[in-house]
Amino acid sequence: LKPLWPVSLRCEVAVVAALLDCTPVAMASGYPTYVPAGAPAVAISSARTARSPPRPLTGSYIATPGSPAQSYRSTSGSLSLSGSFSAAAPSTTGASRISPTSSQGAPQVVYTGQPRIVQGTVPVVAGGSPVASMPAQVISPNTSGSLAQGYRRVVMSGTLPSTQSPIAATTPSMPASPSMRIAPGVPTSPPTVRVVSSPGMRVAPGVPLSPSAVRSTTVTTLPAAGIRSGPPSAAVSPTKVIEMPVKSASPSVLEPALAAVQQKQVVPQSVPPPTQDMASTTSGTSWSVLPEWALPTKAVKAEPPQAETTTSLDDDETADVDALSNMSVAIFNDAVMKTCLPGSVYARFKDALVTGALTSEEDQKVIAKAIFKWARDRGAVSFAHWFFPMRGGSGAYGSMCGACKMDTMIDLEWLSDEATKPFFAILPHERLFMGETDGSSFPNGGLRATHTAAAFTTWDRSSPCFVMDKVLRIPCSFVTHLGACIDDKTPLLRSNDALNKQGLRLLKNLNVGIDANAIHSFLGWEQEFFIIRADLYRQRPDLVNCGRTLIGRLPKRNQQAELNYFAPPPGMVHDLLFKVQSVLLSLGVPMAVLHNEVACAQHEMSPIYCHSTFSCDNNVLFMEVMEREAEKLGFHALFHEKPFAGINGSGKHNNWSVGTDSGYNFFHPGKTDSARLLFVTGIACLAYGLCQHNEVVRCAVATAGNDHRLGAQEAPPAIISLYPGTGFEAHVDAIIAGGPLLGYKAEKSSADPLASATMPAVCGVEDRNRTAPFPFCGNRFEFRAVGSSQNCSFPIAICNTIMASGMAALSSLIEAGMSPREAVAKMFRENRHVIFTGNGYSSQWPIEAARRGLPNLSTTPLAVETFNSPKAMALFSDMGIFSAEECNARVEVMLENYLTTLSVEVHTMVSMVETGILPACSKDLISYEAMPWLGGERHATYAAIKAETEKLKMLFERRPHEPQAEAKYLCDIVKPQMLSLRSQVDKAEGLLEADLYPFPTYEALIYSHHS
């Protein structure tokens, strides 16, 4: 039998099998598992780490190997099977994992004496209830001279009823191999053999030695979440195990049998199975062929162990689990809540989401108890209130949008008489629903200080909890001791309340959808990002400090031919994207799309839309998971809006809609008159909000990073306008002229390829306009100006607010006695100039926008100063979003963030030039001392770099120190000087000897990880 795939580290499997006197039918982490003749082979392993004792998962059996193993991890999940099975718990996994004194070389396992066998039973628990009690043997060999330090082995045989409930399944780390994942290892050359799926083990691939000796059985399993059930890319569907009949034998045949194994790489066909006294033999036992990585070999020098990692339900191993079989296993969503809570408690909780009623203390206790049990079943040992400080949007670090601290799920026995009270595991109900922390250390705009620091988190009950990395995360609002918001979630929640209030009011005035109980906003985001090699990232101080490159020449081929858009992602990146997708699906995020973007090394992933608060949380979670998983594979994710000059930047298009709980969508034409009426009035309200509060919408996307992108022929301009489609624009003019509200023909067309093999494609009601900041997309509007590093909560809060404002204005007109038609016509007439269906990239549009009176706030400093204008503060006060104090605080935070971002960029750029570029220029000039005429422009260019650097330092030192004035100065004076310096440095990059350039080039950054 030829080797099945490459190996770099193996276990002395047959030696262990022989010394334990058992039959190695299937492999579990390098050690054999005995399976009676004819039985399907399924193994479930349990192990301990060197730092913590083993824990039973969902109350099932537990094994306690004593080996000082370095990389065990445990997971739990679901298993569905029937038939006989065995389970074993190895203590070691490979050469460098078991020895307390040696870090390399093969294990030196020496067993002496006869094993000691203890008979017993093992309870098997699924879904929290016992489903079987299995006969078991505990085999404990004497270990004189052994480095395995007390190996234990539990063998169970019996029939497990079919179940899909969580069942005990833990797995130790596997031996290193190019074809396997050892956190954070990278798989290469995955095998194509099909193997039996089984949590916690590797079952021998079904490869027959001879057709005449083959018989087969079938095992059906559902791989447990987070458990690798075979080599990467191995099948996880029901698969046949190829078995071979063997004859009985005595220990005297073990030595030649082992030699045969080493020569032929097959399992010896004459080894007695274990019995109670380990002395008798049994004939007719079946073996499976073992994979090549499990066979004996010479000692191989092992790499030092990777940093120890411990996986939980949704951590490091989900890539090898079928993602669609693993969806929503780690989220306490509505379906889970309904099954875990008493019906009355569930009903009151759901009603509170509509009415805003408080959850009673009794209900809190019931809910906390249910969530605690659910979370513990998924491996959680801590909980964390997860909130979203108002960072201001620096453009650099997407994952830092969220914040949390981890608290262990324990509390004291307060009724104990002991001075040092004992503690026990629990999720205290009061700590589930609210918490306290320091608010002065977060950006707060003066709302907190060191001597007035208290701030509080409170559970956003509309966004479900989930378990990740052994932590129950609880999405929360974050407010000061006086209730002022210092986060991005609270304004979103308040805006949803405003939208609900004004939406229901409008429905009543229109006499449409009056059976609705709630109005919701919905969001589907499109996250763009770059993936580059982590080692190169760390060699670029500008990327590390600023999230974007401050210097660098474009490669000769970048995106001129649009070759990258929708092309297959590079192999390693493909693995990363699918790994992230798998993790997020398990966390309840409905990830739906992934593809290459226009720029090289740029990609996009997006989910199906859902409720806006939940969707915004999911986006922050996505950025965190992406950065974490990228680092494991040797990559780094860039969420900055413009990491590379001259190459398309990244956005985060927010697909936003508003609808009722009864099924109406304000942004869909519908098929009934009532739906069409709601559609027309909905766009009238949106036009009003965008026109009357244009500056506020621009502030929603005003960050230092996004300034590099807006209006750059790759993103919508900084001028905020509405694109409802050319057909609807004509309908608006007809309404203004006196026409009916229902005259709009929302008829879809078709695009026919005119080929017999194809069918006509159904087109949308209106064409797409990618140059508009707010284009209509058939059943939603797409806010295209949102930056890729932003938390979606703030932009969507602004969208909800201006929409609620438009609804309120329209209701006021109708309540004053105007007919709905006349009221809608009046709103369109007064706000008609915000509707633009032309090319937003054209040079004529800024001129036309100025003629219409639309503001062009092209930079963040210009936009931010309008956020606390009297008009803006009146809007926020009327809709209940921000107080005047909160408006002023947010302006301060946005300006502070802008100043910090620009200051860090200046210091980083100067440092890179003075410590990297100028020394390289000096060395380069030495090469031309003998023949200076060959130096060309070098002397002048290198001198210009020095001069421009000194000028930048001088201008930066002269900056004013009043925040608004300083922001404008940095924007208008310092940033242009940074560009002047950059132009000279980038010119020098084309002149320097290649080996002298001190930083990874654009070409290396965006292409080096491509296959």
Side-chain angles (χ1 to χ4, degrees):
L1 181 66
K2 294 182 179 180
L4 298 177
W5 57 83
V7 297
S8 62
L9 192 68
R10 303 167 180 164
C11 294
E12 302 293 343
V13 177
V15 174
V16 177
L19 292 170
L20 286 182
D21 201 19
C22 64
T23 307
V25 174
M27 284 301 303
S29 303
Y31 282 84
T33 298
Y34 170 69
V35 179
V42 178
I44 307 169
S45 308
S46 181
R48 61 178 289 177
T49 69
R51 298 184 300 178
S52 61
R55 61 179 178 83
L57 300 173
T58 64
S60 60
Y61 79 89
I62 185 169
T64 58
S67 167
Q70 298 300 309
S71 298
Y72 281 135
R73 34 205 137 131
S74 62
T75 56
S76 67
S78 297
L79 175 69
S80 177
L81 61 108
S82 62
S84 300
F85 76 103
S86 290
S91 66
T92 63
T93 61
S96 64
R97 306 297 190 186
I98 68 169
S99 172
T101 60
S102 175
S103 62
Q104 62 185 18
Q108 300 173 7
V109 182
V110 180
Y111 289 100
T112 61
Q114 291 296 320
R116 180 169 59 89
I117 299 174
V118 179
Q119 293 289 349
T121 60
V122 175
V124 177
V125 178
S129 302
V131 296
S133 182
M134 299 297 174
Q137 293 177 332
V138 179
I139 304 174
S140 175
N142 296 318
T143 56
S144 174
S146 170
L147 295 178
Q149 302 297 326
Y151 175 85
R152 299 289 187 272
R153 184 161 175 272
V154 178
V155 176
M156 299 190 307
S157 296
T159 300
L160 178 66
S162 178
T163 176
Q164 290 191 5
S165 300
I167 191 171
T170 65
T171 178
S173 65
M174 301 302 299
S177 166
S179 297
M180 302 176 221
R181 297 179 189 268
I182 303 177
V186 180
T188 60
S189 304
T192 58
V193 296
R194 294 172 66 82
V195 300
V196 170
S197 305
S198 175
M201 68 172 290
R202 308 264 187 173
V203 181
V207 182
L209 287 183
S210 63
S212 61
V214 174
R215 59 188 181 81
S216 64
T217 58
T218 301
V219 177
T220 303
T221 69
L222 176 64
I227 296 174
R228 173 169 56 264
S229 52
S233 303
V236 295
S237 56
T239 311
K240 292 184 177 181
V241 181
I242 306 302
E243 300 180 319
M244 301 204 59
V246 296
K247 300 178 180 179
S248 61
S250 63
S252 62
V253 302
L254 291 179
E255 187 170 345
L258 176 57
V261 169
Q262 294 172 323
Q263 293 174 9
K264 300 181 181 180
Q265 296 186 334
V266 298
V267 177
Q269 299 189 25
S270 300
V271 177
T275 61
Q276 182 170 345
D277 59 8
M278 303 298 285
S280 63
T281 61
T282 303
S283 61
T285 305
S286 297
W287 294 7
S288 291
V289 178
L290 293 178
E292 190 252 10
W293 55 263
L295 298 173
T297 185
K298 296 179 181 179
V300 179
K301 183 176 181 180
E303 294 296 325
Q306 300 284 356
E308 179 178 326
T309 58
T310 302
T311 63
S312 58
L313 182 66
D314 41 29
D315 192 22
D316 186 47
E317 304 302 329
T318 52
D320 294 326
V321 178
D322 176 44
L324 299 185
S325 299
N326 199 39
M327 297 186 298
S328 301
V329 296
I331 183 171
F332 195 79
N333 56 20
D334 184 72
V336 176
M337 179 180 290
K338 187 178 294 186
T339 62
C340 292
L341 296 181
S344 58
V345 176
Y346 170 80
R348 286 191 294 271
F349 186 88
K350 295 295 290 185
D351 183 67
L353 297 181
V354 177
T355 65
L358 302 179
T359 300
S360 69
E361 185 173 8
E362 288 305 312
D363 282 359
Q364 288 183 34
K365 292 179 180 179
V366 174
I367 294 168
K369 184 177 180 180
I371 292 179
F372 173 70
K373 182 180 183 302
W374 172 87
R376 288 290 295 133
D377 286 345
R378 280 144 189 82
V381 296
S382 299
F383 69 96
H385 279 196
W386 187 43
F387 57 100
F388 311 94
M390 54 174 176
R391 306 282 193 194
S394 69
Y397 304 108
S399 67
M400 292 186 181
C401 291
C404 63
K405 70 177 178 69
M406 279 66 78
D407 293 304
T408 310
M409 289 180 175
I410 58 172
D411 204 356
L412 298 180
E413 290 277 10
W414 296 104
L415 299 180
S416 171
D417 294 331
E418 297 295 325
T420 300
K421 299 185 184 301
F423 57 90
F424 64 103
I426 191 176
L427 175 59
H429 68 278
E430 64 275 9
R431 297 176 69 190
L432 167 64
F433 280 82
M434 56 198 67
E436 181 181 359
T437 188
D438 168 28
S440 65
S441 297
F442 293 98
N444 59 75
L447 294 175
R448 294 284 81 193
T450 307
H451 64 291
T452 56
F456 298 86
T457 52
T458 175
W459 182 16
D460 169 15
R461 295 174 295 179
S462 67
S463 189
C465 309
F466 59 94
V467 173
M468 185 172 76
D469 298 337
K470 296 188 177 182
V471 178
L472 172 70
R473 291 210 191 179
I474 307 159
C476 285
S477 173
F478 186 44
V479 296
T480 71
H481 185 75
L482 302 176
C485 76
I486 50 176
D487 68 335
D488 284 336
K489 177 180 275 287
T490 302
L492 176 60
L493 296 175
R494 293 174 179 175
S495 73
N496 277 327
D497 290 345
L499 195 65
N500 181 62
K501 177 182 177 180
Q502 298 303 331
L504 292 175
R505 176 188 174 194
L506 180 59
L507 291 179
K508 181 179 178 181
N509 285 316
L510 294 173
N511 196 31
V512 172
I514 57 177
D515 59 335
N517 295 310
I519 307 294
H520 301 298
S521 64
F522 301 95
L523 169 65
W525 38 267
E526 304 172 38
Q527 179 70 63
E528 296 175 344
F529 53 93
F530 283 79
I531 295 295
I532 62 173
R533 280 171 43 188
D535 59 330
L536 300 182
Y537 163 81
R538 288 187 285 268
Q539 296 174 46
R540 293 282 312 210
D542 45 5
L543 286 177
V544 172
N545 292 322
C546 312
R548 74 181 184 100
T549 54
L550 302 175
I551 57 176
R553 284 167 57 94
L554 280 174
K556 299 300 183 289
R557 176 173 72 88
N558 45 83
Q559 62 183 54
Q560 302 98 322
E562 289 80 35
L563 298 176
N564 199 59
Y565 196 43
F566 278 34
M572 298 285 288
V573 177
H574 176 277
D575 291 347
L576 169 63
L577 302 187
F578 273 84
K579 175 62 185 294
V580 170
Q581 174 184 268
S582 180
V583 171
L584 289 167
L585 285 173
S586 73
L587 294 170
V589 183
M591 298 305 298
V593 175
L594 58 87
H595 63 82
N596 267 15
E597 258 299 335
V598 172
C600 304
Q602 188 185 35
H603 315 277
E604 178 181 302
M605 295 183 71
S606 56
I608 301 173
Y609 78 95
C610 52
H611 191 278
S612 61
T613 55
F614 181 48
S615 187
C616 290
D617 292 352
N618 288 343
N619 181 248
V620 176
L621 180 61
F622 170 87
M623 292 189 285
E624 179 181 344
V625 171
M626 173 57 74
E627 289 191 348
R628 182 188 69 182
E629 297 302 328
E631 290 294 335
K632 290 179 182 179
L633 295 179
F635 292 126
H636 187 83
L638 299 175
F639 289 105
H640 195 286
E641 285 76 13
K642 196 72 172 179
F644 303 103
I647 296 176
N648 274 15
S650 297
K652 179 154 38 193
H653 306 155
N654 280 205
N655 293 273
W656 167 73
S657 62
V658 176
T660 72
D661 62 347
S662 57
Y664 281 104
N665 183 346
F666 281 85
F667 299 149
H668 184 256
K671 297 181 179 180
T672 64
D673 285 349
S674 58
R676 295 187 184 101
L677 174 61
L678 205 60
F679 174 66
V680 174
T681 56
I683 295 184
C685 294
L686 179 57
Y688 174 94
L690 287 173
C691 187
Q692 299 301 316
H693 307 295
N694 195 280
E695 298 89 346
V696 169
V697 178
R698 173 64 180 90
C699 288
V701 294
T703 70
N706 217 18
D707 279 0
H708 296 284
R709 169 177 164 265
L710 296 182
Q713 307 302 306
E714 64 189 67
I719 304 166
I720 302 298
S721 63
L722 177 66
Y723 173 85
T726 54
F728 193 84
E729 181 183 37
H731 182 56
V732 168
D733 291 336
I735 292 174
I736 293 173
L741 296 181
L742 301 181
Y744 178 61
K745 300 294 184 181
E747 297 177 350
K748 294 185 177 181
S749 59
S750 63
D752 194 345
L754 301 177
S756 59
T758 62
M759 296 171 60
V762 178
C763 302
V765 175
E766 298 283 355
D767 205 347
R768 297 185 65 183
N769 187 339
R770 299 180 67 249
T771 71
F774 245 99
F776 175 61
C777 298
N779 58 3
R780 65 197 185 278
F781 279 87
E782 183 183 19
F783 193 8
R784 293 179 58 85
V786 179
S788 56
S789 69
Q790 286 189 261
N791 186 334
C792 300
S793 294
F794 185 48
I796 294 302
I798 298 300
C799 291
N800 288 346
T801 301
I802 65 165
M803 184 67 182
S805 174
M807 290 172 164
L810 185 56
S811 288
S812 295
L813 292 175
I814 296 173
E815 291 165 358
M818 193 174 288
S819 70
R821 201 220 76 83
E822 291 303 318
V824 169
K826 176 179 173 62
M827 289 186 67
F828 275 133
R829 185 182 307 111
E830 293 176 354
N831 301 288
R832 172 66 177 81
H833 55 289
V834 81
I835 296 175
F836 176 65
T837 58
N839 181 6
Y841 289 171
S842 70
S843 58
Q844 290 75 34
W845 170 228
I847 300 172
E848 171 62 18
R851 186 190 67 79
R852 296 185 181 202
L854 295 177
N856 185 2
L857 305 175
S858 58
T859 66
T860 292
L862 290 177
V864 169
E865 65 182 3
T866 68
F867 191 78
N868 58 349
S869 67
K871 183 179 180 181
M873 287 199 288
L875 165 69
F876 293 131
S877 177
D878 292 345
M879 295 297 108
I881 313 301
F882 295 122
S883 66
E885 184 183 38
E886 289 171 328
C887 280
N888 292 331
R890 197 159 289 264
V891 167
E892 182 177 326
V893 169
M894 288 191 284
L895 286 175
E896 180 182 6
N897 185 279
Y898 186 85
L899 298 178
T900 300
T901 300
L902 268 294
S903 297
V904 169
E905 289 185 353
V906 169
H907 288 304
T908 301
M909 188 175 200
V910 170
S911 175
M912 291 178 72
V913 171
E914 292 186 336
T915 64
I917 298 299
L918 288 177
C921 293
S922 176
K923 294 176 183 177
D924 189 54
L925 287 176
I926 295 174
S927 302
Y928 297 92
E929 286 181 345
M931 294 177 286
W933 61 88
L934 292 180
E937 299 179 83
R938 284 172 172 79
H939 282 83
T941 301
Y942 299 168
I945 293 174
K946 176 63 176 176
E948 297 292 354
T949 302
E950 294 302 318
K951 184 177 180 181
L952 174 60
K953 292 161 64 176
M954 178 267 294
L955 291 175
F956 183 74
E957 289 300 320
R958 293 181 179 179
R959 69 192 185 281
H961 295 289
E962 187 279 320
Q964 187 66 50
E966 183 179 358
K968 288 185 176 181
Y969 179 89
L970 291 178
C971 179
D972 299 337
I973 305 298
V974 174
K975 277 182 65 177
Q977 179 56 31
M978 292 176 68
L979 292 177
S980 296
L981 172 56
R982 175 174 189 151
S983 67
Q984 296 300 326
V985 173
D986 291 353
K987 183 178 179 180
E989 182 182 344
L991 299 174
L992 282 168
E993 181 182 340
D995 291 342
L996 292 177
Y997 190 73
F999 309 109
T1001 64
Y1002 270 28
E1003 186 170 309
L1005 288 167
I1006 66 177
Y1007 286 124
S1008 62
H1009 58 291
H1010 288 216
S1011 56

